[in-house]
Amino acid sequence: MHEKTGIDPVKRELVKNALIGICDTMLVMIVRTARSTNIKNTMDFSGALCDAEGRLVAQGLAVPAHLGAIMPALAGCLAHFGDDVHDGDILCSNDPYSGCSHLNDIFMFKPVFADGRRIAFLCLILHHTDLGGRVPGGNAADSSEIFQEGLIVPPSKICDRGRPNATLLRILEHNTRIPQRMMGDIHAQIAALAGAARELVKFALATGTKALRASMADLIDYTERLTRAKIAELPDGRVEFEDWNDDDGAGGAPVRFHVTLTKQGERFIVDFTGTSPQGRGALHTNYAFTASCTYAALRCVIDPEIPNNAGFYAPISVIAPEGTFVNVRYPAALGARGQGGYRIRSTVLGALALLIPDRVAACAGGSEFGIVFAGHNGRDSKPFVHLEFHNCTGQGGGPDRDGQDGGPYAIGNLANVPVELLEAENPVLVEAYAFLPDSAGAGKYRGSLGIVRQYRILAEEATVNLRSDRHLHGCWGLFGGKPGAKARSIVNPGTPQEALAPSKFVRVMRRGEVFRGEMAASGGYGDPYTRDPAAVLEDVRQGKVSIAHARAAYGVCVQAETLTVDAEATAVLRAAVAPAG
């Protein structure tokens, strides 16, 4: 029994799981009823529950980068509506300058009432495929102001006391290139909130609304105490780390991300002072998303059993000076803000690796690859907009294991959409989807391999919008581990028209033209010449490492005829390049 609240641990666990279950139920409804691939298949969404004051209490299956974005967006809505929030309302917004993250993410909040008073808010974030703007998909890296990126929905009511806002719905319908899919997703979002609200009211009445409110407050308090205790177990210290974006999205110079991480007692202070000023493109972030990505990175070294709620954030201070790349001023564009978020993640994790070297892997691979194909299908002239993200090729090598090829990473949790589904719904052919041999950063524990994705256009023409990175700055290794291979973009490979493309572009491609994206591989951990030759041999057998690369990168001599290690030749080669002493 907790000495202050009188809530015993068993009841706390039951309430926590019940609330998470309600959040997950919303997301199951979304998967079953949404129309767009990026939502129903990729699962680019998050669901959560906040208390009556707007503090996060429970979060279901989610994209980790959404971890800290929910409360600022809800606060923006409540700041606008004040007491004008009633049973049957659904608030919505996508305005980054009112607490949201970028225009494609539409946040909806449904206040839930029981026994005549508000007890909670149910929250859903969905990344909608297209909300108009100058470039299909809304992720163009070279947009220079938010007005170019699509429809801005300031804090609004999409339902008012149970009645749908027909005007707002018509505005949404007329500001997308794919209205049927877009509106299907919007109505799925509204329906999922309504269904979850009914379940929450049942649970509240069965539990008692007063007891439920006390349990919510207890969960937040419990999480904060647990988070502080786990942070206190980590070593104190102050470290600095930097990482780089290739550019600002609009052809500018490389962008420096700098962080000073201070661990002091039971607190973390994460200071981005020294990061480059905001640029001309759309890759940068607002403060809410910067904080959210920082929380997600820190989550990697704090007990995963700790609940996701407002208590987790309390011991973490994020400093991001206004006007820098990680806290832009209005009306800067933010449509491709995911790119900045990935670099925030890698920079914070790099600092953590210096502070806690036995807990953090080398830089995760991936070129933060997002691509949109849009146009009209020649069979029926219907518009199509296909959006997909490949945010990670796998974790880097770690203190005790290799990187996981094709695995997830710290702020992404998106599903792998089958190629057949993409091809069935869009006039695009995927000609290659495979690992890239010899690309992983070498180390005692190697990084994960890069991935290639190659597309052929089947429509008469299509607008192609690419947002990627790591063409100039590879994924770093740790403690002697080598960086992974850099990313490449190639148009019409293997033809006289073959050309390297920049990491970010918007261009029209014609029928039969091909785009090949080679995504960056992750970094290695530790000296490659200390890698077990048997592990190198196994990589050769699996086709992940060539015989030549085994020799050049690891000093391991593999006999081609028998696929065995020549132990004597390996020892001689490694001794020849071993550092003196």
PDB file of all heavy atoms in Angstrom, residues 55-83:
ATOM      1  N   ARG A  55      -2.418  15.738 -18.464  1.00  0.00           N
ATOM      2  CA  ARG A  55      -1.149  15.057 -18.209  1.00  0.00           C
ATOM      3  C   ARG A  55      -1.225  13.621 -18.739  1.00  0.00           C
ATOM      4  O   ARG A  55      -2.191  12.909 -18.484  1.00  0.00           O
ATOM      5  CB  ARG A  55      -0.837  15.022 -16.712  1.00  0.00           C
ATOM      6  CG  ARG A  55      -0.665  16.387 -16.081  1.00  0.00           C
ATOM      7  CD  ARG A  55      -0.336  16.253 -14.598  1.00  0.00           C
ATOM      8  NE  ARG A  55      -1.359  15.515 -13.879  1.00  0.00           N
ATOM      9  CZ  ARG A  55      -1.213  15.042 -12.634  1.00  0.00           C
ATOM     10  NH1 ARG A  55      -0.060  15.213 -12.003  1.00  0.00           N
ATOM     11  NH2 ARG A  55      -2.200  14.399 -12.035  1.00  0.00           N
ATOM     12  N   LEU A  56      -0.200  13.212 -19.479  1.00  0.00           N
ATOM     13  CA  LEU A  56      -0.167  11.870 -20.050  1.00  0.00           C
ATOM     14  C   LEU A  56      -0.153  10.830 -18.936  1.00  0.00           C
ATOM     15  O   LEU A  56       0.676  10.879 -18.028  1.00  0.00           O
ATOM     16  CB  LEU A  56       1.071  11.710 -20.934  1.00  0.00           C
ATOM     17  CG  LEU A  56       1.216  10.379 -21.654  1.00  0.00           C
ATOM     18  CD1 LEU A  56       0.120  10.196 -22.691  1.00  0.00           C
ATOM     19  CD2 LEU A  56       2.592  10.279 -22.315  1.00  0.00           C
ATOM     20  N   VAL A  57      -1.072   9.847 -19.028  1.00  0.00           N
ATOM     21  CA  VAL A  57      -1.191   8.790 -18.024  1.00  0.00           C
ATOM     22  C   VAL A  57      -0.797   7.437 -18.602  1.00  0.00           C
ATOM     23  O   VAL A  57      -0.145   6.634 -17.935  1.00  0.00           O
ATOM     24  CB  VAL A  57      -2.632   8.719 -17.464  1.00  0.00           C
ATOM     25  CG1 VAL A  57      -2.775   7.559 -16.491  1.00  0.00           C
ATOM     26  CG2 VAL A  57      -3.011  10.027 -16.796  1.00  0.00           C
ATOM     27  N   ALA A  58      -1.209   7.154 -19.839  1.00  0.00           N
ATOM     28  CA  ALA A  58      -0.947   5.846 -20.433  1.00  0.00           C
ATOM     29  C   ALA A  58      -0.790   6.007 -21.934  1.00  0.00           C
ATOM     30  O   ALA A  58      -1.440   6.854 -22.557  1.00  0.00           O
ATOM     31  CB  ALA A  58      -2.073   4.869 -20.122  1.00  0.00           C
ATOM     32  N   GLN A  59       0.069   5.175 -22.511  1.00  0.00           N
ATOM     33  CA  GLN A  59       0.293   5.214 -23.945  1.00  0.00           C
ATOM     34  C   GLN A  59       0.323   3.794 -24.474  1.00  0.00           C
ATOM     35  O   GLN A  59       0.971   2.918 -23.898  1.00  0.00           O
ATOM     36  CB  GLN A  59       1.609   5.925 -24.261  1.00  0.00           C
ATOM     37  CG  GLN A  59       1.849   6.115 -25.749  1.00  0.00           C
ATOM     38  CD  GLN A  59       2.955   7.130 -26.030  1.00  0.00           C
ATOM     39  OE1 GLN A  59       3.221   7.996 -25.223  1.00  0.00           O
ATOM     40  NE2 GLN A  59       3.582   7.009 -27.181  1.00  0.00           N
ATOM     41  N   GLY A  60      -0.389   3.561 -25.573  1.00  0.00           N
ATOM     42  CA  GLY A  60      -0.403   2.247 -26.185  1.00  0.00           C
ATOM     43  C   GLY A  60       0.729   2.098 -27.179  1.00  0.00           C
ATOM     44  O   GLY A  60       1.724   2.834 -27.143  1.00  0.00           O
ATOM     45  N   LEU A  61       0.570   1.129 -28.067  1.00  0.00           N
ATOM     46  CA  LEU A  61       1.549   0.934 -29.140  1.00  0.00           C
ATOM     47  C   LEU A  61       1.767   2.264 -29.848  1.00  0.00           C
ATOM     48  O   LEU A  61       0.808   2.950 -30.183  1.00  0.00           O
ATOM     49  CB  LEU A  61       1.030  -0.108 -30.132  1.00  0.00           C
ATOM     50  CG  LEU A  61       1.899  -0.364 -31.356  1.00  0.00           C
ATOM     51  CD1 LEU A  61       3.162  -1.111 -30.955  1.00  0.00           C
ATOM     52  CD2 LEU A  61       1.131  -1.146 -32.403  1.00  0.00           C
ATOM     53  N   ALA A  62       3.031   2.603 -30.058  1.00  0.00           N
ATOM     54  CA  ALA A  62       3.280   3.965 -30.509  1.00  0.00           C
ATOM     55  C   ALA A  62       4.570   4.073 -31.279  1.00  0.00           C
ATOM     56  O   ALA A  62       5.446   3.224 -31.196  1.00  0.00           O
ATOM     57  CB  ALA A  62       3.334   4.904 -29.292  1.00  0.00           C
ATOM     58  N   VAL A  63       4.670   5.161 -32.021  1.00  0.00           N
ATOM     59  CA  VAL A  63       5.949   5.602 -32.565  1.00  0.00           C
ATOM     60  C   VAL A  63       6.665   6.351 -31.439  1.00  0.00           C
ATOM     61  O   VAL A  63       6.132   7.341 -30.924  1.00  0.00           O
ATOM     62  CB  VAL A  63       5.739   6.529 -33.771  1.00  0.00           C
ATOM     63  CG1 VAL A  63       7.062   7.076 -34.280  1.00  0.00           C
ATOM     64  CG2 VAL A  63       4.999   5.781 -34.874  1.00  0.00           C
ATOM     65  N   PRO A  64       7.845   5.897 -31.016  1.00  0.00           N
ATOM     66  CA  PRO A  64       8.491   6.533 -29.858  1.00  0.00           C
ATOM     67  C   PRO A  64       8.682   8.033 -29.984  1.00  0.00           C
ATOM     68  O   PRO A  64       8.694   8.741 -28.979  1.00  0.00           O
ATOM     69  CB  PRO A  64       9.824   5.789 -29.763  1.00  0.00           C
ATOM     70  CG  PRO A  64       9.533   4.436 -30.326  1.00  0.00           C
ATOM     71  CD  PRO A  64       8.561   4.680 -31.444  1.00  0.00           C
ATOM     72  N   ALA A  65       8.847   8.533 -31.211  1.00  0.00           N
ATOM     73  CA  ALA A  65       9.016   9.976 -31.388  1.00  0.00           C
ATOM     74  C   ALA A  65       7.767  10.753 -30.994  1.00  0.00           C
ATOM     75  O   ALA A  65       7.820  11.971 -30.827  1.00  0.00           O
ATOM     76  CB  ALA A  65       9.392  10.293 -32.832  1.00  0.00           C
ATOM     77  N   HIS A  66       6.620  10.070 -30.885  1.00  0.00           N
ATOM     78  CA  HIS A  66       5.402  10.722 -30.415  1.00  0.00           C
ATOM     79  C   HIS A  66       5.335  10.789 -28.891  1.00  0.00           C
ATOM     80  O   HIS A  66       4.403  11.375 -28.340  1.00  0.00           O
ATOM     81  CB  HIS A  66       4.164   9.958 -30.912  1.00  0.00           C
ATOM     82  CG  HIS A  66       3.974  10.002 -32.393  1.00  0.00           C
ATOM     83  ND1 HIS A  66       3.189   9.089 -33.062  1.00  0.00           N
ATOM     84  CD2 HIS A  66       4.454  10.840 -33.343  1.00  0.00           C
ATOM     85  CE1 HIS A  66       3.190   9.368 -34.358  1.00  0.00           C
ATOM     86  NE2 HIS A  66       3.957  10.422 -34.547  1.00  0.00           N
ATOM     87  N   LEU A  67       6.322  10.176 -28.230  1.00  0.00           N
ATOM     88  CA  LEU A  67       6.290  10.005 -26.785  1.00  0.00           C
ATOM     89  C   LEU A  67       6.001  11.300 -26.030  1.00  0.00           C
ATOM     90  O   LEU A  67       5.179  11.336 -25.117  1.00  0.00           O
ATOM     91  CB  LEU A  67       7.648   9.433 -26.330  1.00  0.00           C
ATOM     92  CG  LEU A  67       7.802   9.010 -24.882  1.00  0.00           C
ATOM     93  CD1 LEU A  67       6.962   7.780 -24.599  1.00  0.00           C
ATOM     94  CD2 LEU A  67       9.274   8.715 -24.581  1.00  0.00           C
ATOM     95  N   GLY A  68       6.670  12.379 -26.408  1.00  0.00           N
ATOM     96  CA  GLY A  68       6.501  13.617 -25.674  1.00  0.00           C
ATOM     97  C   GLY A  68       5.734  14.686 -26.413  1.00  0.00           C
ATOM     98  O   GLY A  68       5.690  15.841 -25.973  1.00  0.00           O
ATOM     99  N   ALA A  69       5.112  14.345 -27.550  1.00  0.00           N
ATOM    100  CA  ALA A  69       4.427  15.348 -28.361  1.00  0.00           C
ATOM    101  C   ALA A  69       2.959  15.506 -27.990  1.00  0.00           C
ATOM    102  O   ALA A  69       2.316  16.465 -28.416  1.00  0.00           O
ATOM    103  CB  ALA A  69       4.545  14.985 -29.843  1.00  0.00           C
ATOM    104  N   ILE A  70       2.425  14.565 -27.219  1.00  0.00           N
ATOM    105  CA  ILE A  70       0.987  14.565 -26.956  1.00  0.00           C
ATOM    106  C   ILE A  70       0.572  15.711 -26.043  1.00  0.00           C
ATOM    107  O   ILE A  70      -0.364  16.466 -26.350  1.00  0.00           O
ATOM    108  CB  ILE A  70       0.572  13.205 -26.362  1.00  0.00           C
ATOM    109  CG1 ILE A  70       0.727  12.112 -27.424  1.00  0.00           C
ATOM    110  CG2 ILE A  70      -0.858  13.231 -25.829  1.00  0.00           C
ATOM    111  CD1 ILE A  70       0.720  10.713 -26.876  1.00  0.00           C
ATOM    112  N   MET A  71       1.276  15.884 -24.933  1.00  0.00           N
ATOM    113  CA  MET A  71       0.873  16.918 -23.974  1.00  0.00           C
ATOM    114  C   MET A  71       0.984  18.331 -24.545  1.00  0.00           C
ATOM    115  O   MET A  71       0.074  19.147 -24.333  1.00  0.00           O
ATOM    116  CB  MET A  71       1.667  16.770 -22.686  1.00  0.00           C
ATOM    117  CG  MET A  71       1.302  15.525 -21.891  1.00  0.00           C
ATOM    118  SD  MET A  71       1.944  15.524 -20.189  1.00  0.00           S
ATOM    119  CE  MET A  71       3.703  15.541 -20.503  1.00  0.00           C
ATOM    120  N   PRO A  72       2.069  18.690 -25.276  1.00  0.00           N
ATOM    121  CA  PRO A  72       2.109  20.047 -25.839  1.00  0.00           C
ATOM    122  C   PRO A  72       0.962  20.329 -26.819  1.00  0.00           C
ATOM    123  O   PRO A  72       0.417  21.434 -26.840  1.00  0.00           O
ATOM    124  CB  PRO A  72       3.470  20.094 -26.539  1.00  0.00           C
ATOM    125  CG  PRO A  72       4.292  19.075 -25.841  1.00  0.00           C
ATOM    126  CD  PRO A  72       3.348  17.984 -25.477  1.00  0.00           C
ATOM    127  N   ALA A  73       0.596  19.322 -27.627  1.00  0.00           N
ATOM    128  CA  ALA A  73      -0.492  19.524 -28.586  1.00  0.00           C
ATOM    129  C   ALA A  73      -1.830  19.695 -27.871  1.00  0.00           C
ATOM    130  O   ALA A  73      -2.647  20.543 -28.254  1.00  0.00           O
ATOM    131  CB  ALA A  73      -0.557  18.352 -29.554  1.00  0.00           C
ATOM    132  N   LEU A  74      -2.063  18.879 -26.838  1.00  0.00           N
ATOM    133  CA  LEU A  74      -3.298  19.024 -26.064  1.00  0.00           C
ATOM    134  C   LEU A  74      -3.310  20.364 -25.329  1.00  0.00           C
ATOM    135  O   LEU A  74      -4.356  21.042 -25.264  1.00  0.00           O
ATOM    136  CB  LEU A  74      -3.435  17.866 -25.080  1.00  0.00           C
ATOM    137  CG  LEU A  74      -4.646  17.892 -24.146  1.00  0.00           C
ATOM    138  CD1 LEU A  74      -5.952  18.048 -24.918  1.00  0.00           C
ATOM    139  CD2 LEU A  74      -4.679  16.626 -23.283  1.00  0.00           C
ATOM    140  N   ALA A  75      -2.167  20.769 -24.800  1.00  0.00           N
ATOM    141  CA  ALA A  75      -2.095  22.065 -24.115  1.00  0.00           C
ATOM    142  C   ALA A  75      -2.436  23.198 -25.072  1.00  0.00           C
ATOM    143  O   ALA A  75      -3.103  24.174 -24.684  1.00  0.00           O
ATOM    144  CB  ALA A  75      -0.696  22.258 -23.530  1.00  0.00           C
ATOM    145  N   GLY A  76      -1.998  23.075 -26.341  1.00  0.00           N
ATOM    146  CA  GLY A  76      -2.337  24.098 -27.317  1.00  0.00           C
ATOM    147  C   GLY A  76      -3.836  24.191 -27.558  1.00  0.00           C
ATOM    148  O   GLY A  76      -4.394  25.288 -27.691  1.00  0.00           O
ATOM    149  N   CYS A  77      -4.502  23.043 -27.600  1.00  0.00           N
ATOM    150  CA  CYS A  77      -5.961  23.039 -27.770  1.00  0.00           C
ATOM    151  C   CYS A  77      -6.659  23.628 -26.546  1.00  0.00           C
ATOM    152  O   CYS A  77      -7.594  24.435 -26.672  1.00  0.00           O
ATOM    153  CB  CYS A  77      -6.449  21.616 -28.034  1.00  0.00           C
ATOM    154  SG  CYS A  77      -6.034  20.969 -29.671  1.00  0.00           S
ATOM    155  N   LEU A  78      -6.216  23.230 -25.369  1.00  0.00           N
ATOM    156  CA  LEU A  78      -6.868  23.723 -24.146  1.00  0.00           C
ATOM    157  C   LEU A  78      -6.612  25.212 -23.937  1.00  0.00           C
ATOM    158  O   LEU A  78      -7.465  25.927 -23.395  1.00  0.00           O
ATOM    159  CB  LEU A  78      -6.387  22.920 -22.946  1.00  0.00           C
ATOM    160  CG  LEU A  78      -6.797  21.440 -22.935  1.00  0.00           C
ATOM    161  CD1 LEU A  78      -6.246  20.732 -21.709  1.00  0.00           C
ATOM    162  CD2 LEU A  78      -8.312  21.302 -22.993  1.00  0.00           C
ATOM    163  N   ALA A  79      -5.449  25.700 -24.371  1.00  0.00           N
ATOM    164  CA  ALA A  79      -5.178  27.128 -24.260  1.00  0.00           C
ATOM    165  C   ALA A  79      -6.154  27.929 -25.113  1.00  0.00           C
ATOM    166  O   ALA A  79      -6.541  29.049 -24.757  1.00  0.00           O
ATOM    167  CB  ALA A  79      -3.739  27.418 -24.681  1.00  0.00           C
ATOM    168  N   HIS A  80      -6.572  27.345 -26.235  1.00  0.00           N
ATOM    169  CA  HIS A  80      -7.507  28.043 -27.113  1.00  0.00           C
ATOM    170  C   HIS A  80      -8.942  27.945 -26.597  1.00  0.00           C
ATOM    171  O   HIS A  80      -9.662  28.946 -26.576  1.00  0.00           O
ATOM    172  CB  HIS A  80      -7.430  27.468 -28.523  1.00  0.00           C
ATOM    173  CG  HIS A  80      -8.418  28.067 -29.480  1.00  0.00           C
ATOM    174  ND1 HIS A  80      -8.274  29.338 -29.997  1.00  0.00           N
ATOM    175  CD2 HIS A  80      -9.589  27.578 -29.990  1.00  0.00           C
ATOM    176  CE1 HIS A  80      -9.301  29.610 -30.789  1.00  0.00           C
ATOM    177  NE2 HIS A  80     -10.103  28.559 -30.819  1.00  0.00           N
ATOM    178  N   PHE A  81      -9.363  26.738 -26.189  1.00  0.00           N
ATOM    179  CA  PHE A  81     -10.775  26.544 -25.853  1.00  0.00           C
ATOM    180  C   PHE A  81     -11.090  26.800 -24.381  1.00  0.00           C
ATOM    181  O   PHE A  81     -12.247  27.056 -24.041  1.00  0.00           O
ATOM    182  CB  PHE A  81     -11.209  25.118 -26.230  1.00  0.00           C
ATOM    183  CG  PHE A  81     -11.377  24.923 -27.704  1.00  0.00           C
ATOM    184  CD1 PHE A  81     -10.430  24.235 -28.448  1.00  0.00           C
ATOM    185  CD2 PHE A  81     -12.461  25.466 -28.367  1.00  0.00           C
ATOM    186  CE1 PHE A  81     -10.582  24.060 -29.811  1.00  0.00           C
ATOM    187  CE2 PHE A  81     -12.618  25.307 -29.733  1.00  0.00           C
ATOM    188  CZ  PHE A  81     -11.674  24.608 -30.465  1.00  0.00           C
ATOM    189  N   GLY A  82     -10.109  26.743 -23.502  1.00  0.00           N
ATOM    190  CA  GLY A  82     -10.376  27.001 -22.093  1.00  0.00           C
ATOM    191  C   GLY A  82     -11.450  26.087 -21.536  1.00  0.00           C
ATOM    192  O   GLY A  82     -11.357  24.869 -21.629  1.00  0.00           O
ATOM    193  N   ASP A  83     -12.500  26.677 -20.980  1.00  0.00           N
ATOM    194  CA  ASP A  83     -13.596  25.894 -20.388  1.00  0.00           C
ATOM    195  C   ASP A  83     -14.621  25.436 -21.426  1.00  0.00           C
ATOM    196  O   ASP A  83     -15.576  24.723 -21.076  1.00  0.00           O
ATOM    197  CB  ASP A  83     -14.311  26.727 -19.314  1.00  0.00           C
ATOM    198  CG  ASP A  83     -13.407  27.024 -18.125  1.00  0.00           C
ATOM    199  OD1 ASP A  83     -12.505  26.202 -17.862  1.00  0.00           O
ATOM    200  OD2 ASP A  83     -13.587  28.083 -17.488  1.00  0.00           O
TER     201      ASP A  83
END
